[in-house]
């Protein structure tokens, strides 16, 4: 009598790292950023699979001086009450419960609760106050009200992965789609353009500005053009405001172009004059590094327009780009 074949072990779901506004977390590989708003101090983030399951993250930063300590349990009850009122308006059955903060979410600097609710959908979440960052965070993983597709298990894993402070003091991870870079945490997000084939994030600290651009399918986009000539046509960050000299360089073993210079004549100098009139030191020094990463088939451009007294940190910046591997 032959033994029945053993049941195949379930394969572990692949995950990817996402970093945004000082948060890092791991989500299933097929989930992507689909919504965001706000700033480092207060904002909203949504990542989902485009169909059924997803994560919502909301945060607000408490003032350094508050008149009375935060009652995180009251915050949790208030949040669930607001969901109940919304469900009542839609004439939907709604059940909710505050629970202890899940073990995986617990950190020494956190005080909070878990929660779960069922209405038009089902959600497992956590709400906590971080004493170090002063952030109040609400994180919930949502799915079908039946809880199918392992919603409870996925929620536990995703919520446990969320960190709401920088892993390395002074540096912040920005990781979305295939872009992964650590940038100085003193810079705040100023603008972004996020598409499948092109990504750009621009940040600023006063007049000191930097941008990171990434182009996918680089072999098709670039064809046989020289990289510096191609960038003159396609770049949209600080390079468009600069005059510079380009020279050969290397980045992570890839052939690269290094650019150094200053402001271009025209609108860039007009802006610098306005900054000077408002008693701010204008950004007049430019540096950048661009390279074609063949393993990932992407073009990267890191660029910085800074005041003349600010040191050029381009070598350090490009060393923190994870372009492949």
């Amino acid at each position: 009598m032959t033994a029945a074949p053993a049941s195949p072990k379930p394969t572990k779901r692949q995950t990817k790292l996402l970093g945004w506004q000082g948060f890092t977390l791991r989500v299933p590989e097929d989930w992507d950023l689909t919504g965001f708003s706000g700033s480092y101090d207060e904002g909203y983030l949504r990542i989902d699979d485009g169909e059924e399951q997803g994560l919502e993250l909301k945060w607000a930063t408490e003032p350094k001086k508050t008149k009375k300590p935060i009652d995180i349990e009251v915050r949790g009850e208030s949040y669930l009450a607001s969901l109940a009122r919304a469900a009542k308006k839609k004439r939907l059955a709604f059940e909710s419960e505050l629970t202890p903060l899940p073990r995986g979410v617990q950190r020494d600097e956190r005080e909070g609760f878990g929660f779960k609710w069922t209405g038009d959908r089902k959600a497992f979440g956590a709400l906590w106050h971080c004493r170090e960052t002063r952030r109040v965070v609400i994180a919930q993983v949502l799915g079908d009200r039946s809880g199918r597709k392992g919603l409870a298990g996925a929620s536990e894993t995703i919520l446990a992965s969320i960190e709401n402070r920088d892993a390395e003091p002074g540096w912040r991870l920005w990781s979305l789609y295939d872009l992964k870079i650590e940038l100085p945490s003193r810079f705040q997000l100023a603008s972004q353009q996020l598409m499948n084939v092109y990504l750009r994030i621009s940040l600023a600290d006063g007049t000191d500005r930097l941008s990171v651009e990434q182009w996918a399918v680089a072999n098709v986009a670039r064809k046989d053009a020289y990289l510096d000539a191609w960038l003159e046509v396609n770049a949209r960050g600080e390079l468009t405001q600069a005059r510079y000299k380009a020279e050969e360089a290397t980045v992570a073993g890839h052939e690269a172009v290094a650019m150094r210079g200053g402001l271009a004549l025209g609108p860039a100098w007009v802006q610098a004059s306005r900054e000077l009139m408002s008693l701010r030191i204008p950004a007049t020094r430019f540096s950048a590094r661009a390279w074609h990463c063949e393993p990932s088939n992407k073009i990267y451009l890191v660029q910085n327009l800074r005041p003349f007294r600010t040191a050029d940190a381009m070598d350090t910046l490009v060393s923190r780009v994870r372009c492949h591997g």
Side-chain angles (χ1 to χ4, degrees):
M1 183 176 180
T2 57
S7 300
K9 294 181 179 180
T11 57
K12 188 176 180 180
R13 197 171 186 181
Q14 295 296 311
T15 64
K16 62 183 178 184
L17 180 67
L18 189 142
W20 187 263
Q21 295 288 19
F23 287 94
T24 59
L25 61 148
R26 285 203 165 271
V27 297
E29 200 169 36
D30 58 347
W31 289 24
D32 276 318
L33 179 67
T34 56
F36 58 89
S37 61
S39 64
Y40 177 86
D41 290 331
E42 183 174 358
Y44 168 83
L45 181 67
R46 181 178 175 84
I47 309 126
D48 61 44
D49 63 3
E51 296 179 358
E52 186 172 292
Q53 294 186 352
L55 167 75
E56 287 186 342
L57 197 61
K58 300 177 183 179
W59 66 92
T61 304
E62 295 295 308
K64 289 184 178 180
K65 295 183 179 180
T66 55
K67 295 182 178 179
K68 55 183 179 180
I70 295 172
D71 190 328
I72 201 68
E73 184 174 4
V74 170
R75 296 283 184 99
E77 291 173 345
S78 176
Y79 177 65
L80 294 179
S82 68
L83 295 178
R85 289 193 297 271
K88 186 176 181 180
K89 288 182 180 179
K90 297 179 182 178
R91 297 182 180 180
L92 295 172
F94 184 83
E95 296 179 355
S96 67
E97 179 185 357
L98 273 183
T99 63
L101 191 65
R103 184 180 298 274
V105 179
Q106 294 175 13
R107 308 285 189 276
D108 290 341
E109 69 277 7
R110 293 179 182 175
E111 175 191 4
F113 290 86
F115 63 84
K116 54 186 177 181
W117 59 263
T118 305
D120 57 339
R121 308 187 72 190
K122 192 177 190 69
F124 296 90
L127 183 150
W128 69 84
H129 172 247
C130 175
R131 289 189 297 273
E132 290 190 5
T133 62
R134 307 191 317 280
R135 281 175 156 177
V136 175
V137 180
I138 300 175
Q140 60 183 3
V141 179
L142 305 100
D144 187 86
R145 61 176 287 116
S146 67
R148 65 184 184 184
K149 294 187 178 180
L151 179 63
S155 302
E156 182 178 354
T157 302
I158 294 169
L159 293 174
S161 76
I162 299 174
E163 299 293 344
N164 59 270
R165 57 179 179 168
D166 299 326
E168 181 180 346
W171 291 91
R172 182 161 299 150
L173 176 69
W174 295 88
S175 177
L176 56 153
Y177 301 104
D178 293 323
L179 176 65
K180 292 181 178 64
I181 182 171
E182 293 169 301
L183 298 172
S185 55
R186 65 185 177 88
F187 284 88
Q188 299 298 312
L189 185 66
S191 64
Q192 68 286 313
Q193 188 172 352
L194 309 176
M195 300 185 295
N196 289 334
V197 296
Y198 173 75
L199 302 176
R200 175 182 56 79
I201 57 171
S202 296
L203 302 95
D205 176 28
T207 60
D208 194 350
R209 306 191 295 276
L210 64 84
S211 292
V212 181
E213 296 182 73
Q214 175 192 275
W215 291 266
V217 200
N219 60 330
V220 176
R222 181 183 168 192
K223 296 182 180 178
D224 296 324
Y226 288 108
L227 185 56
D228 54 346
W230 187 87
L231 290 170
E232 287 183 8
V233 176
N234 292 279
R236 303 174 192 176
E238 279 65 45
L239 185 143
T240 61
Q241 305 169 46
R243 55 175 177 78
Y244 54 86
K245 291 184 179 180
E247 58 185 24
E248 294 181 356
T250 59
V251 172
H254 307 303
E255 293 183 358
V257 177
M259 292 159 275
R260 295 181 180 85
L263 284 180
L265 296 175
W269 270 110
V270 172
Q271 176 62 29
S273 299
R274 290 173 179 167
E275 291 169 349
L276 194 59
M277 292 293 290
S278 62
L279 303 181
R280 296 193 299 167
I281 301 175
T284 57
R285 297 290 186 270
F286 173 77
S287 60
R289 203 71 53 84
W291 68 98
H292 182 167
C293 174
E294 293 186 355
S296 64
N297 197 21
K298 292 179 174 61
I299 293 171
Y300 291 85
L301 172 62
V302 181
Q303 51 211 304
N304 179 216
L305 194 57
R306 63 192 185 280
F308 72 96
R309 290 182 180 176
T310 302
D312 185 356
M314 189 52 57
D315 287 342
T316 303
L317 291 172
V318 298
S319 72
R320 289 177 175 264
V321 179
R322 307 175 195 177
C323 63
H324 65 273

